[in-house]
Amino acid sequence: MIKTEKEKILAVIISAALLLGGCGTGAGNGKEILLENPAGDSQMDASEAAPDDHEDSVRNDGQISEEAGNAAAVQSDVTDTISLQVIDDNYRTYYEVFVYSFCDSDGDGIGDLPGLISKLDYINDGDDGTDTDLGCNGIWLMPVNPSPTYHKYDVADYYGIDEAYGTLDDFKKLLDECDKRGIKVIMDLVLNHSSSQNPWFKEAYTYLQGLGDAEPNVQDCPYFDYYHFSKEQSGGYYPVEGTEWYYEAQFWSEMPDLNLDCEALRSEISEITKYWLDMGAGGFRLDAVKEYYSGAPQANIDFLAWLTETVKSQKEDAYLVGEAWLPMTEYAPYYKSGIDSVFDFEFADKDGIISKVLNGSPASKYGETVASLKEIYGSYHEGYIDAPFYTNHDLGRSAGYYAGEHSGNQTKLAAALNLFMSGSAFVYYGEELGMKGAGKDENKRAPMYWSKNADAEGMCDGPADMDTVKMKFESLEEQQTDSSSVYHFYKKVIKVRNQNPEIARGDAEYLKEVSTDTVCVLRKTYDGSEVLLVFVTGPDAEKVDLSAVTVNGNPVGDSSEVRAMLVTGEEQIAFAGGVADMPGYSVLVLK
């Protein structure tokens, strides 16, 4: 849709020029930078679209300068004319936040809840009329409960907020502010183990130390049954000092495993979930679900079924997503529990489908797998909601997955391959800036890159043992003013996802007949409406003839509605007569 008469005339003139001159290939601006990688990743040479002598021409976010433009660029601006269609359900776009490294409000170097509240408008300002926020309508909070560690995956108090992060009132304010913006907040719920500093464990430990030769009695100490104590030292068991007893702690000695068969503990868990749901939390991300009963998948599934039923009885629309770090064939059966979602590890990490396809594997690997998910997951749970993600706090940052002249383009397109999957899609904080971080866990949880100035307002110190992480792309301050940045590409992808409900909710069909090794064409169908997604996953330009394809019952042609043209470099997409001339690493969305 063309906004002004001037743009209409400009489009007609330059469309004619394009028909005569053809369409070039897509690439980044080609500004080469070589960066040191403190985490030991050797793939550090990278190109990224950066401001240069083209900054006065048409930019990738569809903004047209006074002096220049072309027809394809005007067409790509169509996303600015389409209304958002954000549905209030459990198909959302979640932003994963590690509070510790996100935004510091009090100058102690540690991120906190007031800091996060101050940045909510960055995530979503709640106003569909603005275009300054990311557009995410969900937040996954990594653990915020009191804990002796920086990461807080060992909970000392399941009913509190860690004092480094703020107070319970701060948390309530966060929920209120998120509710005003249409953001659902899910909390990390760690049930495989607690902290050794949890009063439950401390009381049970002390009880055993004073027991002598007597046998334990849960009437005297109910918390004894909350954990796995034994007089035999098996693998992953640690001694209770001064006794013949041992306790199980498979992850770490200071993370004693909980006994989820204990009915009293299950009642306690039910109280915990109700406590946070009643306060306004929208659900839970369930940590390490495959380790609830290590090596016993069916027991894990049975516990998840109990937990899902419990939570849904407390809040019908509560959302649950489980982490089962396994191959797809092994995590898919977890849907038998009735849980809403299980993280889709098949597509994530440097060895996942998204990275492999962008590093040269056939695009069919992405298309065929995406199209197969309904049959695979739906066979276990008809009402499943996929949970695609690309990176998280346990994985190396994705900017390190690519090297060479096209690495900036690949980093951008990966966002579309993740966020254009069906389900509730997850974005790890800072991925929208192309942040770096690999090697030790602390490096993967580096401070949000608001500014190059480490002393700027809101900047965090990051984990104490973090190496110096050299960034590959600019900070938010610079990227906000560069419409060809990774940040602006992420924003546009999320916007397109929010404009087209078919993307998140649709059943996917892979159109093999018009796809190639570097072209993937998917049709998504939702509530009787279809969209067509056309991805070019390689560096070379592609001419994609879609004239034999139908969308919404009509052959693709000039009457087809262009919903988005996403390019990662300077070259634009030209679409006419059902044929799309697409630069490398680009996406066309039709309806």
Side-chain angles (χ1 to χ4, degrees):
M1 216 172 147
I2 300 186
K3 294 182 178 180
T4 67
E5 192 64 31
K6 178 180 177 181
E7 289 174 356
K8 289 181 182 179
I9 296 170
L10 182 62
V12 171
I13 294 171
I14 300 179
S15 290
L18 283 174
L19 289 173
L20 293 172
C23 184
T25 61
N29 287 349
K31 185 174 181 180
E32 192 74 7
I33 50 177
L34 185 62
L35 300 176
E36 172 190 359
N37 183 2
D41 181 357
S42 62
Q43 295 186 349
M44 288 303 297
D45 56 320
S47 68
E48 163 61 354
D52 56 19
D53 58 344
H54 298 285
E55 67 182 1
D56 291 328
S57 64
V58 179
R59 308 309 294 266
N60 291 348
D61 65 352
Q63 297 300 313
I64 301 172
S65 73
E66 294 180 0
E67 299 178 0
N70 62 43
V74 173
Q75 285 178 311
S76 70
D77 194 40
V78 69
T79 54
D80 292 337
T81 70
I82 299 173
S83 300
L84 301 181
Q85 297 186 53
V86 180
I87 301 173
D88 187 16
D89 60 9
N90 276 331
Y91 289 82
R92 293 178 179 259
T93 307
Y94 279 92
Y95 191 72
E96 179 189 357
V97 175
F98 180 39
V99 174
Y100 192 96
S101 289
F102 194 64
C103 182
D104 173 22
S105 72
D106 57 12
D108 65 357
I110 298 174
D112 46 47
L113 295 177
L116 172 56
I117 292 168
S118 74
K119 295 294 187 180
L120 285 179
D121 283 351
Y122 170 79
I123 299 170
N124 193 322
D125 63 8
D127 184 352
D128 289 353
T130 65
D131 196 25
T132 55
D133 57 318
L134 282 175
C136 295
N137 60 344
I139 290 176
W140 157 21
L141 279 181
M142 288 172 62
V144 295
N145 303 115
S147 167
T149 62
Y150 83 92
H151 53 71
K152 311 203 182 305
Y153 276 99
D154 48 340
V155 178
D157 176 9
Y158 284 91
Y159 297 93
I161 298 296
D162 193 285
E163 61 180 13
Y165 286 177
T167 66
L168 198 57
D169 284 340
D170 291 329
F171 184 75
K172 291 176 181 178
K173 182 178 180 181
L174 172 67
L175 294 178
D176 287 343
E177 292 299 323
C178 284
D179 187 59
K180 293 176 185 177
R181 293 164 171 82
I183 300 171
K184 174 172 277 195
V185 177
I186 61 172
M187 302 175 67
D188 225 313
L189 185 59
V190 186
L191 298 179
N192 176 69
H193 51 264
S194 76
S195 168
S196 61
Q197 299 305 306
N198 192 297
W200 305 341
F201 184 74
K202 291 172 71 174
E203 186 168 329
Y205 193 96
T206 302
Y207 170 71
L208 288 177
Q209 286 181 316
L211 194 60
D213 294 331
E215 289 299 310
N217 188 332
V218 294
Q219 300 301 318
D220 298 329
C221 180
Y223 300 123
F224 168 80
D225 205 26
Y226 277 30
Y227 297 90
H228 295 286
F229 291 102
S230 174
K231 288 188 176 180
E232 295 182 10
Q233 187 176 20
S234 304
Y237 276 72
Y238 295 85
V240 176
E241 188 176 345
T243 76
E244 297 178 349
W245 289 92
Y246 300 89
Y247 65 93
E248 185 180 17
Q250 295 294 334
F251 282 5
W252 178 39
S253 61
E254 304 311 304
M255 291 179 170
D257 285 16
L258 289 165
N259 173 22
L260 298 176
D261 282 334
C262 173
E263 288 300 326
L265 176 57
R266 290 198 180 196
S267 295
E268 187 92 53
I269 291 170
S270 178
E271 289 300 313
I272 291 166
T273 56
K274 186 176 188 302
Y275 175 78
W276 295 111
L277 292 172
D278 286 350
M279 196 176 296
F284 303 98
R285 179 264 185 186
L286 305 175
D287 182 60
V289 300
K290 76 181 184 69
E291 302 300 337
Y292 288 163
Y293 299 83
S294 297
Q298 189 55 53
N300 293 328
I301 292 167
D302 291 344
F303 177 78
L304 277 179
W306 170 83
L307 182 61
T308 299
E309 182 179 357
T310 298
V311 168
K312 295 292 187 178
S313 69
Q314 295 167 346
K315 193 171 189 175
E316 186 177 3
D317 67 344
Y319 177 66
L320 291 174
V321 54
E323 178 213 20
W325 199 337
L326 295 163
M328 181 189 287
T329 54
E330 296 181 44
Y331 64 73
Y334 278 72
Y335 277 112
K336 289 191 294 185
S337 66
I339 192 172
D340 296 305
S341 299
V342 180
F343 281 116
D344 212 336
F345 276 88
E346 193 79 4
F347 293 83
D349 205 358
K350 63 183 182 299
D351 297 321
I353 288 174
I354 291 175
S355 177
K356 283 184 175 178
V357 165
L358 290 175
N359 275 314
S361 292
S364 58
K365 180 64 175 174
Y366 176 83
E368 290 172 352
T369 308
V370 165
S372 72
L373 297 180
K374 181 180 180 182
E375 180 180 355
I376 295 171
Y377 300 152
S379 67
Y380 296 109
H381 175 30
E382 186 177 355
Y384 84 94
I385 300 172
D386 192 17
F389 75 106
Y390 183 39
T391 64
N392 67 19
H393 60 281
D394 289 324
L395 306 178
R397 293 279 192 175
S398 65
Y401 299 172
Y402 311 107
E405 64 175 316
H406 301 297
S407 65
N409 311 77
Q410 292 165 307
T411 299
K412 293 175 184 176
L413 188 60
L417 291 172
N418 175 38
L419 288 161
F420 284 176
M421 288 180 64
S422 298
S424 276
F426 288 76
V427 176
Y428 185 38
Y429 80 95
E431 286 298 299
E432 76 278 14
L433 304 179
M435 280 178 60
K436 285 282 297 178
K440 64 170 70 173
D441 283 344
E442 289 84 351
N443 296 347
K444 303 165 187 173
R445 304 161 189 175
M448 176 65 176
Y449 201 29
W450 302 111
S451 172
K452 287 182 177 179
N453 179 6
D455 297 323
E457 183 178 355
M459 288 294 292
C460 302
D461 293 341
D465 293 333
M466 182 186 75
D467 297 325
T468 299
V469 179
K470 300 285 186 178
M471 292 301 169
K472 187 173 183 177
F473 302 108
E474 300 281 9
S475 76
L476 177 66
E477 287 180 348
E478 291 77 29
Q479 291 201 35
Q480 281 181 320
T481 62
D482 174 14
S483 56
S484 65
S485 65
V486 176
Y487 165 71
H488 278 290
F489 190 84
Y490 260 89
K491 275 182 57 180
K492 193 156 192 178
V493 169
I494 295 171
K495 185 175 184 178
V496 173
R497 180 178 166 90
N498 286 336
Q499 290 170 336
N500 300 279
E502 300 92 343
I503 291 177
R505 295 161 187 81
D507 296 333
E509 178 187 0
Y510 174 59
L511 304 185
K512 181 178 179 179
E513 65 277 9
V514 287
S515 299
T516 69
D517 279 352
T518 55
V519 175
C520 174
V521 184
L522 290 170
R523 183 191 288 120
K524 291 265 192 103
T525 305
Y526 167 69
D527 196 24
S529 179
E530 297 176 345
V531 295
L532 210 62
L533 306 176
V534 185
F535 301 91
V536 175
T537 61
D540 296 329
E542 300 284 352
K543 183 181 290 289
V544 187
D545 188 347
L546 301 167
S547 58
V549 175
T550 62
V551 60
N552 291 304
N554 300 310
V556 172
D558 291 339
S559 62
S560 300
E561 182 184 0
V562 176
R563 302 289 286 186
M565 290 181 170
L566 300 168
V567 294
T568 61
E570 294 175 349
E571 300 298 332
Q572 300 292 333
I573 296 171
F575 176 73
V579 178
D581 286 296
M582 301 178 64
Y585 304 115
S586 62
V587 190
L588 173 64
V589 182
L590 299 172
K591 190 170 183 177

